[in-house]
């Protein structure tokens, strides 16, 4: 092997060694990838944070990263992956209890109440440190359910006095949601066009429907009286069309009104729960 070729080979070897050293100690080191993953996590870029954490986990075992990955899946509403990730941490000395609570919260958020109930019933699985938190979480599902609460005394037991007072207001409000009957709205609009929409507090559309149907009916009658039969039938058809549409629209308006009432209730309840840390994410612990 001639001298220039040997020199080039040595130069290439040294160059690759320097790149490898830079990779280990520079931008792509485990430490920097972990820092970048933490930055992404706290910025809410959970998908890329998971990628960074998974890379670090191929090099070292880290329960903190596994817990943060499970939280990230929960934030992304990828609940099945979140459940499985939290399950892997049940035996963790550092995150065992928190992983179990977040696992139940994931079941709660994904509406798996039956599974949640079965696991809570297993006393050997539930630790005392999270027992009260789980009872509160489980009881709160009743406020989101369309069903009434059968035993209100048990519902309030896990909560402190201040929370109980506030939740009582939500409880009473839930029992007396100002829902409108779609059938009644349709009947009212069948009697007087637009009255069903007024009943659902859609006053503008109600007045418009009344005036429009009334004007078209008047024009139909006026044209028939003037022996303009074609125009009479034309306006009659239009009046009938708007009359029927008004009846259907009133029923739909009642359904929409009820959905808005429920949405406002759920929104107010969620704000209260977040304020009292029932749904606050553990991600806050890592992003101060």
């Amino acid at each position: 092997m001639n001298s220039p070729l040997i020199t080039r080979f040595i130069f290439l070897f040294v160059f690759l060694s320097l790149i490898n050293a830079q990779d280990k100690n520079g931008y792509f080191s485990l430490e920097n990838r972990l820092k970048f993953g933490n930055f992404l996590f706290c910025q809410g870029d959970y998908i890329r944070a998971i990628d960074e954490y998974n890379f670090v986990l191929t090099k070292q075992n880290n329960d903190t990263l596994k817990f943060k990955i499970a939280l990230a899946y929960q934030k992304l509403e990828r609940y099945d992956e979140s459940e499985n990730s939290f399950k892997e941490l049940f035996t963790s000395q550092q995150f065992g209890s928190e992983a179990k609570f977040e696992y139940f919260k994931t079941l709660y958020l994904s509406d798996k109440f039956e599974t949640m109930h079965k696991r809570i019933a297993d006393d050997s699985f539930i630790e005392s440190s999270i027992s009260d938190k789980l009872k509160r979480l489980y009881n709160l599902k009743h406020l989101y359910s369309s069903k009434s609460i059968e035993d209100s005394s048990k519902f309030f037991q896990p909560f402190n006095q201040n929370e109980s007072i506030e939740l009582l207001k939500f409880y009473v409000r839930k029992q007396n949601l100002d829902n409108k009957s779609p059938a009644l709205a349709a009947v009212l609009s069948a009697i007087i066009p637009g009255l069903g929409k007024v009943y659902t507090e859609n006053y503008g559309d109600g007045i418009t429907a009344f005036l429009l149907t009334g004007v078209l009916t008047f024009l139909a009658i006026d044209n028939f009286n003037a022996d303009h039969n074609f125009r009479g039938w034309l306006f009659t058809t239009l009046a009938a069309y708007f009359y029927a549409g008004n009846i259907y629209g009133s029923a739909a308006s009642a359904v929409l009104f009820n959905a808005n009432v429920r949405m406002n209730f759920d929104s107010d309840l969620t704000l209260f729960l977040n304020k009292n840390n029932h749904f606050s994410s553990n991600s806050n612990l890592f992003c101060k």
Side-chain angles (χ1 to χ4, degrees), residues 21-225:
Q22 178 67 22
D23 182 57
K24 288 182 179 178
N25 301 302
Y27 295 112
F28 299 104
S29 67
L30 279 184
E31 181 181 359
N32 282 340
R33 293 199 69 164
L34 178 57
K35 288 179 180 178
F36 185 52
N38 290 337
F39 171 78
L40 294 171
F41 182 85
C42 293
Q43 292 298 310
D45 191 349
Y46 297 114
I47 293 178
R48 290 204 294 163
I50 290 171
D51 289 340
E52 295 299 323
Y53 289 155
N54 278 328
F55 176 81
V56 176
L57 285 173
T58 62
K59 307 297 182 181
Q60 62 183 39
N61 187 40
N62 189 317
D63 283 354
T64 300
L65 296 188
K66 292 178 181 178
F67 188 75
K68 291 168 80 171
I69 288 173
L71 285 176
Y73 281 133
Q74 187 189 83
K75 284 288 192 179
L76 291 167
E77 297 184 3
R78 291 164 60 172
Y79 294 126
D80 288 341
E81 291 164 285
S82 181
E83 287 176 37
N84 293 331
S85 297
F86 283 126
K87 283 180 183 178
E88 293 179 4
L89 291 168
F90 284 173
T91 57
S92 168
Q93 292 184 346
Q94 185 179 5
F95 290 104
S97 295
E98 287 299 321
K100 287 180 180 179
F101 176 72
E102 291 296 333
Y103 164 75
F104 278 107
K105 192 164 79 173
T106 304
L107 292 177
Y108 183 98
L109 293 172
S110 57
D111 296 331
K112 295 181 180 178
F113 296 125
E114 185 175 347
T115 303
M116 188 177 179
H117 177 72
K118 289 178 180 178
R119 298 307 297 266
I120 288 178
D122 183 4
D123 292 336
S124 62
F125 180 77
I126 305 301
E127 300 168 4
S128 58
S129 59
I130 62 171
S131 178
D132 288 340
K133 289 201 296 185
L134 288 179
K135 287 178 182 177
R136 289 194 291 270
L137 189 64
Y138 183 70
N139 283 5
L140 286 171
K141 79 179 179 65
H142 294 293
L143 287 177
Y144 284 98
S145 171
S146 59
K147 299 178 181 179
S148 60
I149 300 172
E150 295 179 0
D151 190 344
S152 59
S153 61
K154 289 185 178 180
F155 172 81
F156 292 108
Q157 275 181 357
F159 302 97
N160 62 43
Q161 185 176 2
N162 291 332
E163 287 178 325
S164 295
I165 292 172
E166 290 299 318
L167 287 171
L168 178 61
K169 296 176 183 177
F170 283 106
Y171 174 80
V172 173
R173 182 176 164 187
K174 180 180 182 296
Q175 306 305 314
N176 300 280
L177 289 177
D178 185 24
N179 289 327
K180 305 295 183 182
S181 167
L184 179 58
V187 169
L188 290 173
S189 279
I191 298 172
I192 300 177
L195 186 58
K197 291 193 174 181
V198 172
Y199 162 69
T200 61
E201 300 180 15
N202 195 350
Y203 301 110
D205 282 358
I207 294 171
T208 300
F210 176 77
L211 293 176
L212 186 58
T213 307
V215 169
L216 289 171
T217 302
F218 170 78
L219 291 173
I221 295 171
D222 187 59
N223 277 278
F224 277 126
N225 289 336

